[in-house]
Amino acid sequence: MALDDSAPLRDGSAADGSVLLRTEGHAGYITLNRPRAINALTHTMVRTVDAALEAWEHDDDIALVVVSGAGERGLCAGGDIRAIHDDARAGGRASVAFWRDEYRLNARIARYAKPYVALMDGIVMGGGVGVSAHGSVRVVTERSAVAMPETGIGFVPDVGGTHLLARAPGELGTHLALTGDAVGAGDALLLGLADHFVPGDRLAGFARSLRSADPAQALRRYAAEPPAAELAAHRDWIDHCYAAGSAEEIVERLSDCGEPAAKEAAETILSRSPTAVKVTLAAIRRARALGALEPVLEQEFRVSCTALASPDLVEGIRAQVIDKDRDPRWSPARLDAVHEKDVEQHFAPLAAGEPGLGLTD
């Protein structure tokens, strides 16, 4: 499906069936419905969810919204990166329009006036984090795998991901941003990406109960003690290594600190796009200084628009998703070959006449 597909709504849901909407009791239910693609987001899906949230926010019969994903694999694996790959190769503008609407949706979710309950079961990555981790009630299960894996495809965490990771304790967010590693329920709670743990076999009952119960009541019945946070035991080396002044020094510290997990992180970072790694590090640190979500989303939009023209984005998606050879040929191929000006251009103002998100006007 093209990114700029604008299929009309049918019976409140997307006409192509990619988003299902229904109301039961005092709850509005949104189901992302592309299970074969792990519910990867298209432009139509973003527009459908945004329209539903706007309508339900002003509907006195709807007290809360519940977001979930169809199928057994996860809530959402991110944006439709095959479509982004094709658009980038063609030099098109569909991705820019998609991101503009997607990031505005992320801002709406974060400021939503009613409880927004996200069921973060299974895979929750990239754009899936954007439609869940900005919500007011974020539920993970033992099946949850939460990640911002963008550096592995030559891209930079977006959808407010740099805002979320910048607020994580210590340097945990920097670690996840640069490596793209996925975390389970315990670590998602530690990082502040989720709020509550509900065992998978209780999740359907929890979702149904929201027809007549508020989230706090439902959680008292269905929530349980979460698994331990695995990263908690690694805080010392993570905080020390990722506080370094440059990506090169971070890798050096990780390689030299003597911890097997740190050495593995160094090897992972060196396998990622060098440009994406350096831009991501700068984006996380700038996000901390910006503070609020809206200016961070505006920053991410500028970064994404620049990255769209980068050879690493097309190459990364090719290697991971199209050809699946897992052997991307990054350009430049080394961290020390990425110069400061290459990083800074990602944060430059948009070209004249290019509208931003309009979130900070």
Side-chain angles (χ1 to χ4, degrees):
M1 177 182 297
L3 284 170
D4 60 354
D5 187 349
S6 55
L9 301 184
R10 181 194 66 235
D11 300 330
S13 299
D16 62 3
S18 59
V19 178
L20 305 178
L21 306 174
R22 72 183 194 280
T23 60
E24 295 182 25
H26 65 205
Y29 291 87
I30 298 173
T31 303
L32 307 180
N33 190 41
R34 296 182 69 212
R36 293 181 62 185
I38 320 180
N39 305 311
L41 295 172
T42 65
H43 205 160
T44 291
M45 294 169 74
V46 165
R47 288 173 170 170
T48 302
V49 172
D50 190 69
L53 291 179
E54 182 175 17
W56 287 342
E57 189 166 20
H58 300 97
D59 186 337
D60 291 339
D61 292 329
I62 301 299
L64 58 89
V65 174
V66 184
V67 178
S68 64
E72 301 297 321
R73 299 170 68 190
L75 170 65
C76 175
D80 187 343
I81 60 175
R82 284 180 176 268
I84 293 172
H85 170 273
D86 294 346
D87 182 54
R89 286 192 63 188
R93 302 292 296 165
S95 299
V96 173
F98 168 66
W99 287 326
R100 183 178 287 113
D101 286 343
E102 183 183 26
Y103 300 172
R104 286 171 173 166
L105 172 61
N106 302 145
R108 181 188 293 278
I109 290 168
R111 303 293 180 250
Y112 205 59
K114 298 177 180 181
Y116 181 100
V117 183
L119 306 184
M120 300 171 69
D121 188 36
I123 292 172
V124 184
M125 296 184 178
V129 173
V131 297
S132 60
H134 296 298
S136 53
V137 183
R138 305 164 301 173
V139 174
V140 284
T141 76
E142 71 279 4
R143 298 187 293 254
S144 296
V146 185
M148 296 299 296
E150 285 78 7
T151 57
I153 59 166
F155 198 48
V156 177
D158 64 338
V159 298
T162 59
H163 171 76
L164 293 164
L165 294 176
R167 298 171 66 194
E171 295 292 340
L172 291 175
T174 310
H175 171 61
L176 290 192
L178 298 191
T179 62
D181 286 350
V183 297
D187 284 320
L189 293 163
L190 173 63
L191 269 85
L193 300 174
D195 308 299
H196 308 281
F197 175 77
V198 173
D201 59 2
R202 302 184 194 176
L203 196 63
F206 170 72
R208 286 193 300 269
S209 74
L210 294 169
R211 297 176 295 189
S212 56
D214 66 40
Q217 291 174 317
L219 286 164
R220 282 194 291 270
R221 179 178 178 186
Y222 290 96
E225 187 71 19
E230 296 179 12
L231 289 176
H234 300 280
R235 279 291 303 278
D236 286 348
W237 65 260
I238 288 175
D239 289 352
H240 168 70
C241 294
Y242 289 94
S246 68
E248 292 93 329
E249 187 179 354
I250 287 172
V251 169
E252 183 178 358
R253 288 189 184 186
L254 289 168
S255 299
D256 294 345
C257 82
E259 292 285 347
K263 184 176 181 180
E264 183 178 340
E267 293 170 351
T268 297
I269 293 170
L270 290 174
S271 74
R272 306 312 193 199
S273 159
T275 300
V277 165
K278 284 202 166 183
V279 175
T280 295
L281 181 61
I284 289 286
R285 292 179 173 175
R286 290 173 184 236
R288 285 177 181 157
L290 288 170
L293 173 62
E294 287 83 358
V296 175
L297 285 167
E298 294 281 5
Q299 172 178 277
E300 290 179 349
F301 184 63
R302 296 195 299 274
V303 170
S304 296
C305 289
T306 302
L308 185 64
S310 164
D312 277 5
L313 179 59
V314 170
E315 174 62 10
I317 298 174
R318 179 206 65 76
Q320 297 298 329
V321 178
I322 307 298
D323 297 336
K324 299 182 180 180
D325 59 29
R326 306 294 192 267
D327 185 26
R329 295 168 177 81
W330 305 122
S331 179
R334 302 187 321 275
L335 286 170
D336 60 8
V338 181
H339 302 297
E340 186 62 25
K341 64 178 178 60
D342 302 322
V343 175
E344 287 299 318
Q345 70 175 350
H346 288 76
F347 300 93
L350 295 169
E354 179 72 74
L357 304 182
L359 297 176
T360 59
D361 295 344

